[in-house]
Amino acid sequence: MRAVHKNTLYWMAVTFILFPVLILVGLFMRAVQADQLGGAQAWFYPMMTLHGVGMVGVWFVAAMACASDILERYCDPSAAVGRFALAGTVLGVLLLLACVFLGRFAAGWYFLYPLPLKGEWPAWSAVTFLLSITVLGATWLVWCLDLLRAIAKKYSLSRALAWHYLAGRGEPELPPSVLIITVSLIAAVAALLAGVIVLVLFYVELLSGATSDTLLMKNLTFFFGHTLVNLAMYLGVAALYEALPEYAGRPWKTNRIVAISWNAVLLIVLFAYFHHLYMDFVQPGAFQYIGQVASYFSAIPAAVVTIFGALLLVYHARMRWNIASLLFFIGLAGWAIGGVGAVIDSTISVNVALHNTLWVPAHFHTYMVAGLAFLVIGYFYHRCQEVARVPENAGAQAFTTALLVIGAYGFFAMFYLAGAYAVPRRFALYPLELNHGAGYSLAALVFASLFLAGFLLYLVSIWTRWFKAMGARA
Amino acid sequence: MRFAEVLVFVCSLLAAAAATAATDGKVLFEQKCTACHTIGGGKRVGPDLQGVTERQPRDWLLQFIVAPDKLLAAKDPAALKLFEEFNRIPMPNLGLSEADAQALIEFIATAGAAARPAAPQPAAQPALPQPDLGSLQSKALAVFLAITAVIVLVFIWVGASTRAPADVNTAKAYGLRRVLFITAAVLLTALLAATLPQAPYAAGDAKADRVVYVATRQFDFVFSEEPITSAEDLGRVRRMERPEFARGELVEFRVTSLDVNHGFGLYNPQRQLIAQTQAMPGYVNRLRVRITEPGDYKVLCLEYCAAGHHLMHSGLTAK
């Protein structure tokens, strides 16, 4: 039994507090869209910004906490840097809350240039937002670099990328989770550096008035945002590689195919972001086509290697089912289903009809919530229970999982249907011609409430285990 | 005689100055105000300005046009009332001088008097029935549902298999993986070959029947048959209030933005999204659409652009 590091337990607490709060913010948004909160409409866009930045941030740090916890088994990440990351994240969140609640900042989670400088919010709130993202980005960059340092010290970077497997050598053995974390962290550093450039250009404009090229800023912003979200998902998959074998009673090892697959992912993930700019017709055509090719072929390593490998691990296994293994298994399906929605949308000729409709939040909620979040909260439970060893109530855990699944897929379904019916995303209220969007919002509100209830039951279930794991540290 | 000549000269100067002020007011109104206001055309993001010069003291109007942020900060009751009434979207400080504001007030007063009495705001309109799915969207949804069903069935099958634990023939499984890999690679390559030529950029060589320039800004679409590249052009070009097209025309929309990123999403008379492009400051995206059906088309902004985003819409007509 391996104790859980205090930092990891704190990250769990951060996730357990922020996630339900941000779900409530999401419920508020759907209630406004359903025309149930007429007087609160002016808060829709600030809350949309909080929900977006908050959710992306929470699941990035939660996935990083999983990665850090896994790496502690194999190498030696710095505890001090871990604490620094926690403190920086708390400061970034406080700045974010200030600019949203006091300044009504509302430029959306990817703050597309030049909107932060040209909205109805006061200038100080835009500056506070940029400071918030700067603090978060700089902190996370240091965190990623430290984890990479720890990996490189133990394995060397080429071994951590399993290049010796590519050359046909299986020794020294490399845990697949370390390979995936290495790939993800390299992509994270690239993404965060792009984010740094975006922020620097914003500051240059604030200080000197020199404007930036909108197409360049759009490319940098989406490279930053898309890559960060993607690799958070991969970190969740690393947690799956680490923990699922313990429930299946079978090993899941690195081999040549796994090595080829994840090295390919590193290349592909850096080019897939172009699909966010399909509707910018001035973007060079080659980039658009590369975007579709990269988006399509990103499905092969995911589906044929990871998902197939996980299914093979479970197939006829003497499986120990509990809420953790259920969430791992269903989370894998969520990743696959969300991926299908994403690949469809990444087809340029289809994107014309789906871009910036509710189809977009449909697929990213599927793999972020029913994929990444399921994997991460499954891993958190797995680690706490590993230490606490509290007797489990199978019926209650199955019920909790069912609530989470029904709630999640219910509200995803409303997004998918509304997206197919061309209802735009990010509309506080729908015009008369698209007022069927309000009906989908109302139904989504009900399902998302079920999901929240499921998550609260999950918290009830993990509560004592978390405290015992914390106590085991003392 | 000499005095009379001077008098005529002075009068003509005054008349010209008055005409210039009126013209300036009109130009300023086109450039700075029409995104949010009409004169007799009903509410938009902000109030209909018809009769505003009679409802509010001129001094107050002057202050509000020049520095609305200061009045709001000073908690001026009338400014606060407007702020609350219009979804807490503040009137921005447009950097106008007192002379500009004066010209605007004169124009609003003149145009308001000339406009017909404002039509009463229509009562809440009944909800429209859900539209039919677009052809492309229904195919996308069908493909998504079919593949999702397969994924769900495979997961249920694999999950159920754990009820009967047994060893798995990994060699056979790896053989199946090879088949899956080849199948997926072939399928994806075929899909790429089939769909890439249908990208909207591929049709760029065809000659358009009509070219329409579209300038977007918070929270308005401006159509014209003359190029619009800056806010100054707005007062110069002739605006098309609601462009009309002939059925079957291939129209090229040259879309740009004068402030932040916007989207130009075109919905057909069946309320299905049929085409879109982004509107970016400093760039012009050329979107080609063949107008195949007669009727009213809706244009919506499909890129979030701040508080009035969902109110940013326009329309076209095809005959």
Side-chain angles (χ1 to χ4, degrees):
Chain A
M1 181 199 77
R2 188 165 61 93
V4 189
H5 196 285
K6 207 170 244 181
N7 282 347
T8 310
L9 289 164
Y10 286 145
W11 282 120
M12 289 183 194
V14 166
T15 311
F16 296 155
I17 294 166
L18 291 183
F19 186 43
V21 170
L22 292 169
I23 293 174
L24 284 174
V25 174
L27 287 173
F28 167 83
M29 288 164 61
R30 290 309 251 164
V32 171
Q33 289 175 322
D35 218 357
Q36 301 297 308
L37 289 173
Q41 184 208 322
W43 277 102
F44 179 86
Y45 294 117
M47 290 301 105
M48 181 187 83
T49 303
L50 179 64
H51 180 79
V53 181
M55 284 296 194
V56 168
V58 162
W59 292 110
F60 176 75
V61 294
M64 282 288 286
C66 293
S68 177
D69 182 71
I70 292 166
L71 289 180
E72 273 162 23
R73 184 173 166 185
Y74 303 108
C75 54
D76 190 22
S78 160
V81 171
R83 283 194 295 276
F84 169 75
L86 194 58
T89 302
V90 170
L91 177 61
V93 169
L94 289 176
L95 288 169
L96 177 68
L97 292 174
C99 74
V100 169
F101 283 104
L102 303 178
R104 291 179 182 247
F105 181 78
W109 89 264
Y110 55 68
F111 55 101
L112 200 55
Y113 175 84
L115 184 57
L117 311 177
K118 294 193 174 178
E120 65 279 358
W121 43 86
W124 70 260
S125 75
V127 173
T128 309
F129 176 81
L130 293 173
L131 285 176
S132 159
I133 300 297
T134 305
V135 169
L136 293 173
T139 307
W140 296 347
L141 186 58
V142 172
W143 195 12
C144 289
L145 289 172
D146 179 67
L147 295 187
L148 275 175
R149 175 204 58 77
I151 293 169
K153 193 174 172 192
K154 170 79 184 284
Y155 295 98
S156 86
L157 220 46
S158 65
R159 279 189 184 164
L161 286 168
W163 287 354
H164 55 296
Y165 285 87
L166 300 181
R169 295 191 304 276
E171 294 292 333
E173 197 172 306
L174 178 77
S177 53
V178 174
L179 164 63
I180 298 168
I181 291 170
T182 308
V183 164
S184 306
L185 291 175
I186 292 172
V189 170
L192 290 168
L193 286 175
V196 167
I197 299 172
V198 170
L199 288 169
V200 166
L201 291 172
F202 265 111
Y203 289 127
V204 166
E205 180 156 345
L206 278 173
L207 295 173
S208 72
T211 56
S212 296
D213 182 275
T214 43
L215 186 60
L216 172 71
M217 289 294 263
K218 220 173 200 181
N219 273 277
L220 286 167
T221 302
F222 283 114
F223 178 78
F224 159 69
H226 173 89
T227 310
L228 203 72
V229 167
N230 243 246
L231 65 90
M233 183 70 232
Y234 295 150
L235 292 174
V237 173
L240 179 84
Y241 267 89
E242 187 68 15
L244 191 61
E246 294 185 29
Y247 294 88
R250 290 171 175 167
W252 197 3
K253 295 186 172 180
T254 305
N255 55 35
R256 197 161 179 231
I257 296 293
V258 170
I260 292 172
S261 155
W262 282 97
N263 276 275
V265 163
L266 178 55
L267 274 182
I268 292 169
V269 74
L270 300 178
F271 294 103
Y273 89 89
F274 285 131
H275 62 223
H276 289 276
L277 285 102
Y278 287 160
M279 294 302 110
D280 295 292
F281 292 6
V282 287
Q283 173 93 327
F287 290 177
Q288 312 285 31
Y289 299 126
I290 289 170
Q292 185 173 337
V293 172
S295 305
Y296 269 37
F297 282 96
S298 66
I300 291 186
V304 179
V305 179
T306 300
I307 295 174
F308 184 86
L311 289 174
L312 187 59
L313 197 75
V314 173
Y315 186 58
H316 281 298
R318 201 172 297 282
M319 195 74 186
R320 184 163 64 86
W321 290 112
N322 69 355
I323 194 166
S325 54
L326 279 170
L327 287 170
F328 288 146
F329 192 63
I330 298 167
L332 197 69
W335 183 33
I337 294 168
V340 172
V343 168
I344 289 172
D345 193 24
S346 75
T347 309
I348 300 170
S349 52
V350 178
N351 191 255
V352 167
L354 296 179
H355 183 72
N356 279 348
T357 67
L358 285 173
W359 187 277
V360 182
H363 70 68
F364 73 64
H365 276 84
T366 312
Y367 58 67
M368 286 297 280
V369 178
L372 176 60
F374 278 15
L375 297 180
V376 169
I377 64 173
Y379 186 79
F380 284 171
Y381 178 90
H382 159 73
R383 290 292 285 125
C384 289
Q385 172 65 2
E386 202 174 34
V387 176
R389 299 198 178 278
V390 174
E392 294 176 314
N393 181 337
Q397 294 203 341
F399 180 70
T400 301
T401 311
L403 261 186
L404 286 169
V405 171
I406 293 168
Y409 280 93
F411 91 81
F412 302 156
M414 296 309 113
F415 274 147
Y416 281 110
L417 282 172
Y421 280 101
V423 178
R425 70 190 286 209
R426 296 189 177 132
F427 266 41
L429 289 172
Y430 298 113
L432 183 68
E433 293 83 350
L434 297 173
N435 59 12
H436 50 286
Y440 291 119
S441 303
L442 195 57
L445 192 61
V446 174
F447 282 113
S449 303
L450 285 182
F451 179 82
L452 178 60
F455 187 72
L456 294 177
L457 284 181
Y458 164 87
L459 287 184
V460 169
S461 163
I462 202 170
W463 186 252
T464 48
R465 292 169 173 88
W466 184 86
F467 270 103
K468 278 184 185 274
M470 189 59 109
R473 297 287 322 159
Chain B
M1 186 67 188
R2 194 163 190 152
F3 174 75
E5 276 175 4
V6 171
L7 192 63
V8 168
F9 177 71
V10 170
C11 287
S12 62
L13 267 183
L14 286 174
T20 307
T23 308
D24 286 346
K26 184 174 186 299
V27 169
L28 277 172
F29 191 81
E30 291 283 342
Q31 289 173 345
K32 306 284 186 183
C33 312
T34 50
C36 301
H37 301 282
T38 67
I39 301 173
K43 291 178 186 174
R44 285 179 54 80
V45 177
D48 183 340
L49 298 179
Q50 186 175 23
V52 72
T53 49
E54 288 142 33
R55 290 195 300 273
Q56 300 285 2
R58 295 258 176 150
D59 283 353
W60 184 89
L61 279 175
L62 195 74
Q63 283 183 61
F64 192 63
I65 293 172
V66 171
D69 45 343
K70 285 186 183 163
L71 279 190
L72 257 182
K75 302 204 183 308
D76 174 84
L80 278 176
K81 185 168 175 282
L82 279 171
F83 179 61
E84 292 298 335
E85 191 180 338
F86 287 88
N87 299 311
R88 302 180 69 87
I89 301 175
M91 161 102 167
N93 187 325
L94 300 165
L96 296 171
S97 65
E98 284 200 8
D100 291 337
Q102 203 67 57
L104 272 172
I105 292 168
E106 291 306 326
F107 171 72
I108 292 166
T110 314
R116 282 177 298 178
Q121 290 290 319
Q125 290 173 280
L128 294 171
Q130 176 148 311
D132 291 332
L133 269 179
S135 154
L136 195 53
Q137 288 93 337
S138 66
K139 281 180 199 152
L141 188 61
V143 169
F144 172 73
L145 290 175
I147 300 176
T148 297
V150 171
I151 291 170
V152 170
L153 288 175
V154 168
F155 271 76
I156 289 173
W157 173 60
V158 170
S161 76
T162 60
R163 288 181 183 168
D167 287 336
V168 173
N169 182 342
T170 45
K172 203 172 158 189
Y174 286 152
L176 175 61
R177 185 173 68 183
R178 196 171 303 120
V179 171
L180 280 176
F181 173 79
I182 294 168
T183 309
V186 169
L187 195 66
L188 289 174
T189 308
L191 276 171
L192 282 170
T195 58
L196 283 178
Q198 294 172 22
Y201 337 113
D205 294 335
K207 188 172 173 359
D209 300 315
R210 288 272 298 278
V211 173
V212 173
Y213 295 86
V214 185
T216 59
R217 56 180 176 163
Q218 292 165 321
F219 303 100
D220 186 26
F221 293 92
V222 180
F223 296 94
S224 177
E225 287 180 323
E226 301 166 68
I228 308 170
T229 54
S230 67
E232 285 66 44
D233 292 335
L234 293 177
R236 179 185 57 77
V237 301
R238 201 170 66 82
R239 288 176 70 146
M240 303 161 80
E241 287 307 324
R242 188 179 177 91
E244 290 191 0
F245 302 101
R247 189 177 170 185
E249 266 189 326
L250 179 64
V251 183
E252 179 173 299
F253 295 99
R254 296 190 181 172
V255 184
T256 191
S257 169
L258 303 177
D259 42 39
V260 300
N261 284 279
H262 296 279
F264 176 87
L266 186 63
Y267 286 72
N268 69 10
Q270 285 75 46
R271 294 176 282 148
Q272 297 156 342
L273 178 60
I274 56 165
Q276 64 170 304
T277 190
Q278 291 269 300
M280 265 192 298
Y283 288 91
V284 177
N285 284 323
R286 297 181 177 206
L287 172 69
R288 294 194 169 193
V289 185
R290 191 169 294 283
I291 305 291
T292 54
E293 300 170 67
D296 291 333
Y297 288 67
K298 185 99 180 164
V299 177
L300 292 181
C301 177
L302 290 186
E303 184 65 62
Y304 172 61
C305 58
H309 170 55
H310 59 284
L311 301 169
M312 183 170 164
H313 56 85
S314 188
L316 324 167
T317 305
K319 299 210 166 164

